[in-house]
Amino acid sequence: SWARKRRPVMAESPPAAAGGLSAITGLRLRAHEVAVQAPMCAVHDGHEIIRVFGKVPQGLVEVVVPGLITADGLAVMCERLEQAAASGVTVIFDDPFKLLLAGEPAMVGMLVHRLERGLSATIRFRRASSLVAFTFNPSYPAFDGTTYRAASLDAGAGRAVLAAVVTIPVVDVKADGIARVYDACFSPDR
């Protein structure tokens, strides 16, 4: 029936017709002469990767992963690239922070290492990231052997030590509040 949701079909097109990297909203697999473009998907999990990699073009040279990818999706991508004997592929993610959100950091790191070393993949990002502020929270839970209690460092001294070794703003989250972090991240002079 027309009321049922249907998954959009992936389109195959020459690479030139696929547009620039910033225009890609769905997972894209590109070979020398053809590109497979999936419809927009905000989170690429294992099921999405299986579906898209069902159409791996011969001579794959590039995989563009817009949005988030889960650790499961990254693991399936590694498996599918290994099965396709796709060595030397360039894998392009939005930015490094999307990988940080993929799942448990050690697992994600292992999978990225697997891409780089096992498949000789080149990892690239559509957007560069930069460290714009360092947050400092002087409060911490102190453990006395049986329970935790609230404790804090000397905020002024801790902030001064950090400020002496970094060239970006050091924000004391407790004293300065979140507005200072926001200002450091989104100021017009960045």
Side-chain angles (χ1 to χ4, degrees), residues 10 13 21 32 35 39 41 69 83-84 110 112 119-120 133 154 163 168 186:
M10 293 178 290
S13 62
L21 287 180
H32 293 290
C41 182
I69 187 165
Q83 289 170 0
M110 182 187 74
V112 169
L119 291 162
S120 301
D154 178 342
I168 56 175
F186 299 108

Side-chain angles (χ1 to χ4, degrees), residues 11-186:
E12 289 191 27
S13 62
L21 287 180
S22 63
I24 297 171
T25 59
L27 196 71
R28 182 178 84 171
L29 309 177
R30 185 176 65 83
H32 293 290
E33 297 181 19
V34 69
V36 175
Q37 175 76 48
M40 186 172 100
C41 182
V43 180
H44 306 287
D45 61 9
H47 298 296
E48 171 74 3
I49 300 296
I50 288 169
R51 186 179 69 78
V52 174
F53 272 73
K55 291 213 172 218
V56 176
Q58 191 72 14
L60 185 65
V61 295
E62 180 181 81
V63 177
V64 181
V65 184
L68 295 171
I69 187 165
T70 64
D72 177 54
L74 199 53
V76 172
M77 181 187 300
C78 288
E79 291 167 12
R80 295 301 165 120
L81 288 171
E82 288 164 351
Q83 289 170 0
S87 183
V89 172
T90 299
V91 180
I92 303 170
F93 298 98
D94 276 349
D95 57 63
F97 297 108
K98 297 288 189 322
L99 287 176
L100 287 174
L101 298 173
E104 199 274 317
M107 174 61 79
V108 172
M110 182 187 74
L111 292 167
V112 169
H113 182 76
R114 184 173 164 189
L115 281 172
E116 290 178 315
R117 299 292 184 246
L119 291 162
S120 301
T122 301
I123 306 295
R124 299 222 188 278
F125 301 97
R126 295 200 300 180
R127 287 180 295 281
S129 60
S130 58
L131 186 62
V132 296
F134 194 98
T135 58
F136 170 72
N137 181 355
S139 301
Y140 69 96
F143 187 64
D144 69 9
T146 57
T147 60
Y148 288 94
R149 64 175 175 72
S152 64
L153 303 169
D154 178 342
R159 188 176 189 170
V161 168
L162 287 173
V165 295
V166 298
T167 58
I168 56 175
V170 176
V171 180
D172 179 336
V173 176
K174 190 172 182 180
D176 298 334
I178 196 68
R180 178 90 196 286
V181 175
Y182 182 86
D183 291 343
C185 293
F186 299 108

